[in-house]
């Protein structure tokens, strides 16, 4: 009889948020052991760590914890730890690609190229790409070249392409991502535009706050001691009246509001202490209104709204060419790697993501790995999150991390993934967030 016939039921998704030194790894180990006690098999787990060293330590500590049990089944499970899928995400991706190489047309004997090799291939790919553009008489390319390679500084332009490429590789689908951003540029005056939504919501919150603040100043004073309280109330109403239904009305309202606000009567020696306090509070509030107004006006760059919208739409030709160059660079670089029988770390992730789009392969992988554990979840990038989301079920995902320890943004790690998962679990009930 197989030793894993005992039924076990994983709980709903769990996210453990814990500060440094509070025992996150211990929590993970105890969770693994508890599930094995319930009937799970070591082969059911994918335990993703951030480094190879962390994976080795995890195996060692699990082995020590499991050795405390005096029963044959736990001893068998402990013996399986040497071949258990406890590794970095890149190592996990590599093993999947070795098994399913035929799905994504990759050489099963591929090697992960070192940085010296990838740097040389990137340079060769960029050289070939720039030569082709110079020979093509592409005017949009020349426009970009004049902008970003000013004073014959071509390295600056090449660095930009390299940086955009690296950024793009941290997106699950760069072309889809760019298409969405392109649409935002073309519809900069659309209230449903995510960027415009943020500005409008910010404007509503700001002017509501300014109005409430001024109203409170007027309410907290006594009219016989502060004869100009009504003036402050009028200014509160003016703040409340700013139209934030569109970007144009918000920017216009913000720009003109400071000049509409009424001035208080000049201070005199007969002012009461309450009047002096009210003057100071009013001045502080009006100064904040003026500062926010200035920030809004900076968005216009000294132009009228129609000119801003027109120029923003015109930038699409520039961004289209940049996206085209990045995509062509990626294709040339990938071809060069393939000819060498190699891939890089970004390919490990993207090829795995493509592999998981195959329904049969995905079904087999999900059947093989029934429990997904992720350590240092705060250092996940969008591509890695997409991979985890594809192989995980709503009830078999366990994550530990601390968003305050996320220091790898320069590598494309996105701490907001952790924050959103935490909030989703807290408020939707789709999982459980534990501190």
């Amino acid at each position: 009889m197989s030793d894993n016939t005992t039924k076990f039921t994983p709980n709903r998704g769990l996210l453990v948020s814990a500060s440094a030194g509070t025992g996150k790894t211990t929590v993970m180990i105890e969770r693994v052991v508890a599930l094995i006690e319930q009937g799970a098999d070591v082969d059911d787990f994918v335990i993703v760590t951030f480094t190879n060293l962390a994976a080795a330590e995890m195996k060692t500590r699990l082995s020590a914890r499991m050795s405390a049990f005096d029963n044959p089944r736990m001893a068998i499970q402990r013996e399986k730890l040497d071949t258990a899928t406890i590794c970095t995400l890149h190592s996990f991706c590599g093993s999947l690609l070795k098994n399913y190489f035929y799905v994504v047309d990759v050489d099963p004997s591929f090697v992960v190229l070192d940085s010296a090799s990838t740097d040389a291939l990137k340079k060769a790919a960029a050289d070939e790409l720039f030569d082709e553009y110079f020979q093509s008489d592409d005017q949009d390319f020349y426009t970009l070249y004049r902008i970003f390679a000013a004073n014959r500084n071509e390295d600056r332009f090449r660095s930009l392409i390299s940086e955009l490429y690296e950024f793009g590789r941290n997106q699950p689908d760069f072309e889809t991502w760019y298409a969405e951003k392109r649409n935002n540029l073309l519809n900069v005056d659309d209230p449903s535009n995510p960027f415009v939504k943020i500005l409008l919501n910010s404007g509503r919150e700001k002017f509501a706050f300014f109005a409430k603040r001024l109203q409170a100043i007027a309410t907290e004073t006594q009219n016989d001691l502060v004869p100009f309280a009504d003036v402050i109330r009028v200014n509160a109403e003016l703040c409340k009246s700013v139209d934030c239904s569109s970007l144009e009305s918000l920017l216009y309202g913000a720009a003109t509001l400071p000049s509409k606000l009424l001035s208080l009567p000049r201070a005199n020696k007969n002012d009461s202490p309450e009047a002096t306090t009210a003057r100071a509070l009013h001045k502080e509030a009006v100064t904040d209104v003026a500062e926010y107004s200035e920030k809004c006006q900076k968005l216009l760059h000294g132009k009228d709204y129609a000119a801003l919208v027109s120029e923003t739409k015109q930038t699409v030709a520039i961004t289209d060419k940049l996206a085209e160059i990045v995509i062509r660079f990626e294709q040339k670089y990938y071809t060069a790697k393939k000819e060498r029988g190699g891939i890089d770390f970004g390919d490990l992730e993207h090829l795995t993501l493509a592999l998981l789009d195959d329904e049969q392969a995905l079904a087999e992988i999900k059947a093989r790995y029934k429990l997904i554990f992720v350590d240092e979840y705060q250092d996940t990038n969008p591509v890695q999150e997409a991979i985890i989301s594809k192989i995980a079920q709503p009830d078999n995902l366990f994550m530990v991390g601390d968003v305050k320890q996320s220091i790898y943004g320069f590598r494309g790690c996105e701490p907001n993934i952790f924050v959103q998962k935490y909030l989703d679990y807290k408020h939707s009930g789709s999982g459980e967030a534990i501190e």
Side-chain angles (χ1 to χ4, degrees):
M1 181 180 293
S2 172
D3 69 346
N4 66 346
T5 55
T6 306
K7 297 294 183 183
F8 74 94
T9 305
N11 291 331
R12 56 185 175 163
L14 290 170
L15 172 61
V16 177
S17 175
S19 300
T22 54
K24 293 191 294 294
T25 303
T26 299
V27 169
M28 181 177 279
I29 288 171
E30 291 301 321
R31 177 70 176 155
V32 170
V33 172
L35 288 169
I36 293 174
E37 283 188 279
Q38 294 174 32
D41 193 284
V42 166
D43 293 337
D44 294 330
F45 290 85
V46 173
I47 303 177
V48 175
T49 61
F50 197 66
T51 65
N52 290 321
L53 181 63
E57 181 185 355
M58 178 74 71
K59 286 186 177 183
T60 300
R61 292 181 62 177
L62 267 171
S63 178
R65 180 68 180 87
M66 293 166 73
S67 67
F69 290 82
D70 186 19
N71 66 69
R73 182 177 184 280
M74 192 62 79
I76 293 172
Q77 294 299 314
R78 185 181 172 217
E79 290 176 0
K80 292 184 177 183
L81 285 176
D82 285 341
T83 57
T85 308
I86 303 175
C87 57
T88 65
L89 185 67
H90 287 139
S91 295
F92 177 60
C93 291
S95 66
L96 292 181
L97 292 173
K98 296 284 186 182
N99 291 329
Y100 293 94
F101 64 92
Y102 52 89
V103 176
V104 289
D105 187 28
V106 66
D107 187 337
S109 60
F110 69 81
V111 295
V112 179
L113 300 172
D114 59 33
S115 59
S117 298
T118 57
D119 287 346
L121 292 177
K122 285 178 182 177
K123 183 180 184 306
D127 288 343
E128 181 180 342
L129 181 63
F130 272 59
D131 286 344
E132 289 178 2
Y133 273 114
F134 283 128
Q135 293 173 18
S136 69
D137 196 30
D138 186 320
Q139 294 305 309
D140 286 335
F141 173 80
Y142 285 134
T143 298
L144 279 176
Y145 194 86
R146 285 192 295 271
I147 294 172
F148 295 111
N151 300 319
R152 301 183 182 274
N153 188 1
E154 186 174 297
D155 287 343
R156 181 166 170 261
F157 191 16
R158 287 178 177 243
S159 294
L160 172 66
I161 300 304
S162 178
E163 290 170 11
L164 289 173
Y165 165 75
E166 296 298 338
F167 170 82
R169 295 295 279 171
N170 286 318
Q171 306 303 316
D173 183 345
F174 173 73
E175 293 187 48
T176 298
W177 175 90
Y178 174 66
E180 292 174 354
K181 300 301 179 284
R182 182 182 193 276
N183 186 60
N184 291 342
L185 286 172
L186 290 173
N187 297 281
V188 70
D189 53 350
D190 184 349
S192 65
N193 183 321
F195 175 67
V196 176
K197 272 186 175 181
I198 291 172
L199 290 175
L200 295 181
N201 288 336
S202 174
R204 293 185 189 102
E205 291 174 2
K206 282 288 187 181
F207 290 117
F209 169 75
F210 293 145
K212 184 177 180 180
R213 182 178 177 185
L214 288 165
Q215 184 63 49
I217 296 171
T219 301
E220 291 172 4
T221 60
Q222 299 178 30
N223 282 344
D224 56 338
L225 296 174
V226 185
F228 48 78
D230 286 341
V231 175
I232 301 177
R233 288 193 181 92
V234 170
N235 285 343
E237 290 301 318
L238 287 170
C239 289
K240 190 185 297 184
S241 69
V242 174
D243 182 4
C244 297
S245 61
S246 70
L247 184 57
E248 182 175 14
S249 63
L250 166 63
L251 294 178
Y252 175 78
T256 57
L257 178 62
S259 63
K260 293 180 179 178
L261 296 178
L262 302 180
S263 299
L264 300 184
R266 293 176 64 87
N268 61 69
K269 62 182 180 180
N270 296 322
D271 274 350
S272 65
E274 290 82 0
T276 301
T277 299
R279 284 184 188 281
L281 292 174
H282 179 267
K283 181 179 179 181
E284 184 179 317
V286 169
T287 298
D288 288 347
V289 171
E291 288 179 354
Y292 182 70
S293 171
E294 185 178 349
K295 288 180 181 178
C296 289
Q297 291 179 65
K298 284 182 178 179
L299 289 173
L300 292 169
H301 295 286
K303 306 176 179 65
D304 62 38
Y305 182 75
L308 173 69
V309 172
S310 176
E311 289 188 4
T312 302
K313 292 180 178 180
Q314 289 172 18
T315 63
V316 170
I318 298 294
T319 60
D320 280 351
K321 183 55 63 174
L322 271 174
E324 175 193 295
I325 294 171
V326 171
I327 292 168
R328 286 186 61 184
F329 171 76
E330 190 278 332
Q331 292 167 344
K332 287 185 177 296
Y333 174 44
Y334 183 74
T335 299
K337 287 179 290 184
K338 193 170 183 180
E339 290 173 352
R340 291 275 299 270
I343 59 177
D344 61 19
F345 287 108
D347 294 326
L348 284 171
E349 296 174 355
H350 278 273
L351 288 170
T352 298
L353 200 55
L355 159 64
L356 297 175
D357 283 336
D358 183 273
E359 292 184 7
Q360 181 177 345
L362 178 59
E364 292 175 2
I365 292 166
K366 293 178 85 166
R368 165 73 174 80
Y369 299 109
K370 303 179 181 66
L371 295 159
I372 316 300
F373 280 56
V374 184
D375 194 14
E376 306 293 357
Y377 184 60
Q378 77 278 355
D379 290 320
T380 303
N381 70 35
V383 182
Q384 294 166 350
E385 172 66 6
I387 292 170
I388 293 165
S389 297
K390 279 183 175 289
I391 65 173
Q393 309 273 11
D395 62 353
N396 73 350
L397 183 58
F398 183 90
M399 301 148 287
V400 297
D402 175 21
V403 72
K404 297 187 295 297
Q405 293 184 65
S406 182
I407 60 173
Y408 293 101
F410 65 94
R411 293 183 183 173
C413 298
E414 179 49 75
N416 195 50
I417 293 172
F418 182 102
V419 173
Q420 289 302 315
K421 182 78 73 176
Y422 181 89
L423 294 175
D424 179 53
Y425 278 9
K426 277 288 187 183
H427 302 302
S428 74
S430 59
E432 185 174 0
I434 301 172
E435 294 196 36

